[in-house]
Amino acid sequence: MLAAGQGNVLASRLIHRAHAEAGWFLYAPTCALVEADRVRPGTAEHLAALPGITILDLDLPAALAVAGQDTWAAAHSRYAAQPTPERPDGAVVATVFPKRWEGEPVRVLDLTD
C-alpha cells in the first residue's frame, strides 16, 4: 500500500488492472490499511477511494486469526490470502518485502522495481 503511494510502477499497474479489467481484484485488509496510514497519513483514504480496491473488513474470524499475532497488518494479510468459498485458490500478497513472507502459507508477488 505504501509502495503505491510512493509511485511504485508495478503497484500502480495492479491498481489499474483491477479497475480496468474484469476478473482482476485487489483486496486491502483493514489492518494493513491502518498500518500504512500510520506510516504515511492519507494512504487509507486514498486507497479506499480507488474503484478497483476492495477493503476487507476485520470481521470476527479475521479478528480471531489476527489477535494473537505481533503485527496485525501481516496477520490480516495472511488471513485474507487464505482460500475462501469466494476465492478457492486464495489470494496473492503483493509486496515490496517478499522475504517477510518466506515460510508463510501464502503466494507472493514481488513488487520491487
Side-chain angles (χ1 to χ4, degrees):
M1 293 179 196
L2 291 173
Q6 295 171 338
N8 181 289
V9 174
L10 297 174
S12 295
R13 286 180 184 165
L14 281 176
I15 292 168
H16 173 73
R17 287 190 105 169
H19 173 67
E21 293 186 32
W24 276 80
F25 303 97
L26 283 180
Y27 302 100
T30 301
C31 292
L33 196 60
V34 169
E35 186 173 303
D37 201 72
R38 286 181 177 166
V39 173
R40 186 179 172 123
T43 300
E45 186 174 354
H46 176 72
L47 289 175
L50 295 173
I53 297 179
T54 301
I55 307 300
L56 297 178
D57 294 332
L58 184 63
D59 58 11
L60 180 58
L64 295 174
V66 165
Q69 303 299 315
D70 290 335
T71 64
W72 286 21
H76 197 188
S77 297
R78 184 181 333 107
Y79 174 80
Q82 299 306 305
T84 66
E86 296 83 25
R87 296 181 305 277
D89 294 328
V92 176
V93 174
T95 182
V96 293
F97 300 109
K99 291 192 184 290
R100 176 185 202 180
W101 295 97
E102 286 179 356
E104 294 288 343
V106 299
R107 295 177 293 156
V108 173
L109 176 62
D110 184 350
L111 296 180
T112 53
D113 306 307

